[in-house]
Amino acid sequence: MSLDTMVRQLGRHAELSDDDRRALAGLPFIRRVVKIGHYLARAGDQACEHIVLLSGYAHQHKTASAGGRQIVSIRMPGEAVSSACLFIDRVDYNAQALTPIEAAVVQRDALRDLIAARPAVSKAILMATLIDAAISSEWLLNIGRRSAIARVAHLLCELAARMDTIGLADGASYQVPLTQEQMADILGLTGVHVNRMMKQLTESGVIARHGRCIQFPDRDRIARIAGFDARYLRP
Amino acid sequence: MSLDTMVRQLGRHAELSDDDRRALAGLPFIRRVVKIGHYLARAGDQACEHIVLLSGYAHQHKTASAGGRQIVSIRMPGEAVSSACLFIDRVDYNAQALTPIEAAVVQRDALRDLIAARPAVSKAILMATLIDAAISSEWLLNIGRRSAIARVAHLLCELAARMDTIGLADGASYQVPLTQEQMADILGLTGVHVNRMMKQLTESGVIARHGRCIQFPDRDRIARIAGFDARYLRP
DNA sequence: CGTTATCTTGACCGTCGTCAAACAGGGTGG
DNA sequence: CCACCCTGTTTGACGACGGTCAAGATAACG
């Protein structure tokens, strides 16, 4: 197992020379396998590590005092589980495995040195951070100002687009790595209502489903319903 | 007019030496006065500038195709209007003056050089970015998982805390720089409903109001209602 | 093959949105 | 100095979107 997935993902954010890529791929790390549902970080924990997903999905979530749970980010292969951990030692959200995961615990000092020495790497990581921020803003718009049906459609569009760029959607269909309950925790809805919206999208032919495998018979149609414009995913 | 406000704000995020401070304060910039309601940046615009607020407030917002408007960030004196603009030339949100503004258009190259040369400055700016991200996450939790009354209370707590750290609240009371309509656009509510919640908070004695000047007779009480814990504002 | 998590559906209810109108304040111009 | 207007605040009546509760059907998993 290598850091290949990470290098490829960073390469999408900035031009990396072969030297840059070799340096990144040569970073010292420890491989870690995490079972579904297990935590990668906990809110308030000291000493957090820089963990990069090699395969599988994770999410970050926060909880309200009333007991509600809000997922604030979905992490995909090649991305850091918690980008803040590169520079600070405490984090105010939980990170949890959405599926079985292979991850790399990268030596922070080595990566920081590499960032200091190589502008292209620094730029790639900065870009990743900016895209994360853009996604957060889009989620705010989604939860705050769109109807339930549009929210669900938008999430499906975003997941499809992101998985497409890392080669995990075959263009025609993809596997949603979330339960409907988890989708609800992203969208500020309840599991029951997400189910109703999925049913409505299915019955009106906007999406087709076999289990969690999803297809868009008409991309423009679902994008219109969702108000989805993929530009925020690539600054 | 000087960049003093900016230097002080950055100094809160990282230890800055006197040299660091002098270098920051000596950055070349152009002063710009912006009237209330005018735009500082528009979504999709090329060539965006690095603008720092010296006095007054601004906000970033996005719009849904249905016409809804979501404010994704409030910018306060000392903060950059659009932190992404330091490194990229396009932005996917609008930035608008909430009050009359004095701003500094800082030469990007000079600031970038300074960041490259001075680790402490680099760290301060990075920290500012991480705090912005933390605020976004907290807003997601707020909109997604809290009741209307808690959302309004939480926003009031956050504004008070942020204005307090920059010396714009006198400890006992502060001026909300937002109309109720704008608060609604932050919270994913309508202006009418924000008004109802403000009334409820006032009548139950959780807050006291004279126009837009607000006091908290009992900090713990409003914090409890809001589920507010200020730690996310200072990683 | 049994057990648990996830999905699905229905009935009912509450929070919040919508629409509309009155009211307060603050700035402008006559 | 007062009349006027514009923006923002306040209030009420009504309706809809989405939440809650509960039960049954499927699918995943050991």
Side-chain angles (χ1 to χ4, degrees):
Chain A
M1 207 62 214
S2 74
L3 294 176
D4 219 46
T5 316
M6 178 189 76
V7 179
R8 236 175 299 131
Q9 177 66 7
L10 288 174
R12 290 185 191 99
H13 298 322
E15 291 286 340
L16 297 179
S17 68
D18 287 350
D19 268 11
D20 291 328
R21 286 170 194 275
R22 262 191 298 275
L24 278 167
L27 242 24
F29 71 95
I30 297 168
R31 183 164 170 277
R32 183 180 295 175
V33 174
V34 182
K35 294 206 186 92
I36 186 169
H38 284 213
Y39 280 77
L40 296 150
R42 278 175 199 274
D45 266 13
Q46 209 66 19
C48 73
E49 302 166 307
H50 187 74
I51 303 175
V52 175
L53 286 184
L54 301 177
S55 72
Y57 300 86
H59 70 283
Q60 298 172 355
H61 75 267
K62 304 181 66 148
T63 53
S65 41
R69 163 199 180 95
Q70 178 68 39
I71 294 178
V72 297
S73 177
I74 298 292
R75 315 308 300 167
M76 296 199 172
E79 302 175 344
V81 168
S82 165
S83 27
C85 284
L86 226 194
F87 297 99
I88 57 174
D89 298 308
R90 200 169 42 79
V91 100
D92 66 342
Y93 47 79
N94 307 289
Q96 201 174 1
L98 224 35
T99 63
I101 278 178
E102 279 180 308
V105 183
V106 179
Q107 245 184 52
R108 295 205 298 183
D109 295 337
L111 180 49
R112 282 198 273 225
D113 291 349
L114 213 158
I115 288 170
R118 296 184 175 271
V121 171
S122 168
K123 182 176 180 194
I125 287 184
L126 182 73
M127 284 298 178
T129 308
L130 291 177
I131 291 177
D132 283 347
I135 293 175
S136 286
S137 293
E138 189 67 24
W139 282 22
L140 279 170
L141 175 61
N142 206 30
I143 301 183
R145 286 292 170 232
R146 286 199 261 254
S147 65
I149 191 85
R151 287 187 222 182
V152 173
H154 191 279
L155 176 59
L156 294 177
C157 286
E158 181 184 307
L159 291 174
R162 289 174 65 184
M163 292 173 69
D164 211 28
T165 73
I166 57 177
L168 291 177
D170 65 5
S173 68
Y174 74 100
Q175 283 274 341
V176 180
L178 300 163
T179 68
Q180 293 181 357
E181 199 79 38
Q182 287 161 344
M183 293 175 64
D185 285 344
I186 292 173
L187 299 171
L189 297 169
T190 58
V192 173
H193 204 62
V194 167
N195 184 273
R196 291 194 274 244
M197 297 300 103
M198 291 291 281
K199 182 186 177 190
Q200 193 176 317
L201 287 172
T202 309
E203 286 180 346
S204 59
V206 177
I207 63 173
R209 288 189 288 168
H210 319 75
R212 287 198 196 159
C213 179
I214 295 212
Q215 299 182 43
F216 302 156
D218 181 348
R219 298 235 165 205
D220 288 346
R221 180 141 172 249
I222 191 169
R224 203 160 353 97
I225 292 169
F228 180 76
D229 176 347
R231 271 175 295 183
Y232 71 97
L233 293 172
R234 323 185 181 75
Chain B
M1 207 63 214
S2 74
L3 293 176
D4 218 46
T5 316
M6 178 188 77
V7 179
R8 236 175 300 131
Q9 177 66 7
L10 288 174
R12 290 187 190 98
H13 298 322
E15 290 286 340
L16 298 180
S17 69
D18 287 349
D19 269 9
D20 292 328
R21 286 170 193 275
R22 262 191 298 274
L24 278 167
L27 240 24
F29 72 96
I30 297 169
R31 185 164 168 276
R32 182 179 294 175
V33 174
V34 183
K35 294 206 187 93
I36 186 169
H38 282 213
Y39 280 77
L40 295 151
R42 279 177 198 275
D45 266 12
Q46 209 64 20
C48 75
E49 303 165 305
H50 188 73
I51 303 175
V52 176
L53 285 185
L54 300 177
S55 73
Y57 300 86
H59 70 283
Q60 299 172 354
H61 73 267
K62 305 182 65 147
T63 53
S65 42
R69 163 199 181 96
Q70 178 68 40
I71 293 177
V72 298
S73 178
I74 298 291
R75 315 308 300 169
M76 296 200 173
E79 301 175 343
V81 168
S82 165
S83 27
C85 283
L86 227 194
F87 298 101
I88 55 174
D89 297 307
R90 201 167 42 79
V91 99
D92 66 341
Y93 47 78
N94 307 288
Q96 201 174 1
L98 223 35
T99 63
I101 278 179
E102 278 180 307
V105 183
V106 179
Q107 246 185 51
R108 294 205 299 184
D109 295 338
L111 180 50
R112 281 197 275 224
D113 290 349
L114 212 158
I115 289 170
R118 296 184 174 273
V121 172
S122 167
K123 184 177 179 192
I125 287 185
L126 183 73
M127 283 300 178
T129 308
L130 291 177
I131 291 177
D132 283 347
I135 293 176
S136 286
S137 293
E138 189 67 25
W139 282 22
L140 279 169
L141 176 61
N142 206 29
I143 301 183
R145 286 290 168 236
R146 287 199 261 252
S147 66
I149 190 84
R151 287 187 222 183
V152 173
H154 191 278
L155 176 59
L156 294 177
C157 287
E158 182 185 305
L159 290 175
R162 287 174 65 184
M163 292 173 70
D164 212 28
T165 72
I166 57 178
L168 291 177
D170 66 4
S173 67
Y174 74 101
Q175 283 275 341
V176 181
L178 299 163
T179 68
Q180 292 181 0
E181 199 79 38
Q182 287 160 345
M183 293 175 63
D185 285 344
I186 292 172
L187 299 171
L189 297 169
T190 58
V192 173
H193 205 63
V194 167
N195 184 273
R196 290 194 276 244
M197 298 300 104
M198 291 291 281
K199 182 185 178 190
Q200 193 176 319
L201 287 172
T202 308
E203 286 181 345
S204 60
V206 178
I207 63 173
R209 286 190 287 168
H210 318 76
R212 288 199 196 155
C213 181
I214 296 212
Q215 298 183 44
F216 302 157
D218 182 348
R219 298 235 165 206
D220 288 346
R221 181 141 171 250
I222 190 169
R224 202 160 354 96
I225 291 169
F228 180 76
D229 176 348
R231 270 174 296 182
Y232 71 98
L233 293 171
R234 324 182 182 74

